[in-house]
Amino acid sequence: MACTGIELMSKQGNPYWARTQDFERHFEYSGVKIPKGYEFQSTFTPFKTQTNVMGIVWAKDIHKSPVLLDGINDYGICGGSFYFDHFFKYVPTEEITAAGKVAIRGEELCTWILTHYRSLDDIKNKLNDDIGITNETGPMMGMSVPQHCVFHDETGRSIVVEPSIANGFRIFENPLGVFTNAPTFDWHLSNLKTWLERTTNRSYTYKVDEPIEQIKLGEPTSGLVGIPADYKPESRFLRAAFSKLLSIEVDDDEALNQLYQLLTAVNTPKGSLRINQGDDTLVAWTQYTAGYDIKKKILYAFTYDNRNLRSLTWGDPSEWKDGISYFSFISKQTAEPFEAKDEWGEGENTI
């Protein structure tokens, strides 16, 4: 329950997004390609996909009830689903259907959005009329899982979708491209601005959509001095935000690696975050980290136990299978030996 996402624009103006998936329970994960016209039968209300989607699904049994944690669709909409406890407001199914909407569970929100909408404005204009989230239990955790989502497009624009009102969603423009868990997104932005005012010479109006600019190399700042080091969402949001705002500009071929480095500020090693449940103490950890080249539609991922990158390319959707195609990215760590090399050219052996 400690996921974090960061978006980064390259010097060439291309968007990249990466996220950690942190949890305290074991689930199955798999890369997938889901074709347009596929019918989800295991969702609370069965529905057909209206776009092609590539991403990562999770479930106790992904062949029985897969739902997307993160992904990208035909139209370059890329994003994912994050845990959102305490502040979600789900309602009885009858209230949703009475409003003429489709009822889905919380864990199905990312799947619905990526398989139905062609732009961020499409999401903003249609989502509240299309669906509501039921409080009826499902197969994931014996509940309708508390979730909220972040999405990005090929221009670098980002929005947050938050089920923090009954039978509806608050949708925020995300001027920062950073995302974690509860509290609500507007709270996180206000909290960040108070810290930026303490650590820089900046001041803010505290309007939710005002820009938050990069901290340039010449700008006076005390950086992360005093920033909380715990694993609570509000602390991770600050560390992720400051890490991004302090990041140097990078080229396309460096962008994803830079994102992975920024996310090290919020990774959860086993044992660092402990959750008490009755007589048990659960341990959360960063189960996988995914990264997306949004323009090229390439997914990269590695796991807690294996830092070697695996990749999944979009290809030609007309050649995808009719059903869901599954792609495993989970394997044991391997290592390449040092290379015996007595001589090298100038700069060849320099980092």
Side-chain angles (χ1 to χ4, degrees), residues 201-222:
N201 292 331
R202 299 180 179 187
S203 61
Y204 292 94
T205 65
Y206 288 79
K207 293 180 180 178
V208 71
D209 57 349
E210 70 180 311
I212 302 174
E213 304 293 342
Q214 285 290 111
I215 299 173
K216 302 295 185 182
L217 287 177
E219 181 179 352
T221 177
S222 58

Side-chain angles (χ1 to χ4, degrees), residues 18 135 137 301:
N135 56 16
T137 60

Side-chain angles (χ1 to χ4, degrees), residues 71-79 113-114 117-120 123 151-154 294:
I72 187 168
N73 71 13
D74 284 300
Y75 302 94
I77 305 305
C78 178
I113 290 173
L114 286 176
Y117 302 117
R118 301 184 176 195
S119 69
L120 300 185
I123 299 170
F151 296 99
H152 314 269
D153 67 15
E154 293 182 357
I294 295 177

Side-chain angles (χ1 to χ4, degrees), residues 17-251:
W17 178 66
R19 63 86 51 86
T20 65
Q21 162 61 6
D22 303 63
F23 222 76
E24 77 282 1
R25 305 186 191 190
H26 290 274
F27 288 98
E28 289 187 342
Y29 299 102
S30 176
V32 290
K33 291 182 178 179
I34 306 171
K36 179 179 179 180
Y38 173 78
E39 186 167 3
F40 275 94
Q41 292 286 351
S42 59
T43 48
F44 185 80
T45 303
F47 61 81
K48 280 190 177 182
T49 62
Q50 298 178 16
T51 67
N52 299 299
V53 179
M54 178 179 74
I56 293 176
V57 293
W58 69 320
K60 288 183 179 179
D61 181 344
I62 55 173
H63 293 93
K64 184 180 293 184
S65 54
V67 286
L68 285 160
L69 259 176
D70 48 78
I72 187 168
N73 71 13
D74 284 300
Y75 302 94
I77 305 305
C78 178
S81 190
F82 293 61
Y83 206 80
F84 187 55
D85 53 347
H86 303 304
F87 293 87
F88 69 99
K89 293 186 177 174
Y90 299 168
V91 297
T93 303
E94 296 75 18
E95 187 174 335
I96 299 168
T97 55
K101 303 180 184 182
V102 175
I104 67 169
R105 298 187 188 97
E107 65 269 25
E108 298 161 4
L109 178 59
C110 181
T111 307
W112 175 278
I113 290 173
L114 286 176
T115 61
H116 280 78
Y117 302 117
R118 301 184 176 195
S119 69
L120 300 185
D121 284 333
D122 213 15
I123 299 170
K124 292 183 75 170
N125 294 333
K126 296 179 180 179
L127 186 66
N128 270 295
D129 294 327
D130 288 348
I131 63 169
I133 300 185
T134 179
N135 56 16
E136 294 191 42
T137 60
M140 289 291 292
M141 297 168 61
M143 65 173 79
S144 181
V145 182
Q147 298 282 282
H148 61 167
C149 297
V150 65
F151 296 99
H152 314 269
D153 67 15
E154 293 182 357
T155 71
R157 182 183 168 198
S158 175
I159 64 170
V160 168
V161 175
E162 188 178 275
S164 54
I165 56 176
N167 201 15
F169 304 90
R170 298 171 76 198
I171 300 178
F172 299 97
E173 293 290 329
N174 183 347
L176 189 63
V178 169
F179 198 61
T180 57
N181 312 102
T184 59
F185 185 68
D186 53 343
W187 185 95
H188 281 297
L189 287 181
S190 292
N191 187 49
L192 171 63
K193 290 168 188 176
T194 65
W195 280 93
L196 284 168
E197 289 186 340
R198 294 173 192 170
T199 56
T200 68
N201 292 331
R202 299 180 179 187
S203 61
Y204 292 94
T205 65
Y206 288 79
K207 293 180 180 178
V208 71
D209 57 349
E210 70 180 311
I212 302 174
E213 304 293 342
Q214 285 290 111
I215 299 173
K216 302 295 185 182
L217 287 177
E219 181 179 352
T221 177
S222 58
L224 275 71
V225 173
I227 296 291
D230 62 77
Y231 291 91
K232 293 292 186 181
E234 55 269 34
S235 302
R236 286 184 289 103
F237 190 97
L238 290 174
R239 293 202 302 280
F242 269 82
S243 296
K244 176 184 175 173
L245 292 172
L246 290 164
S247 175
I248 63 168
E249 291 185 312
V250 292
D251 290 313

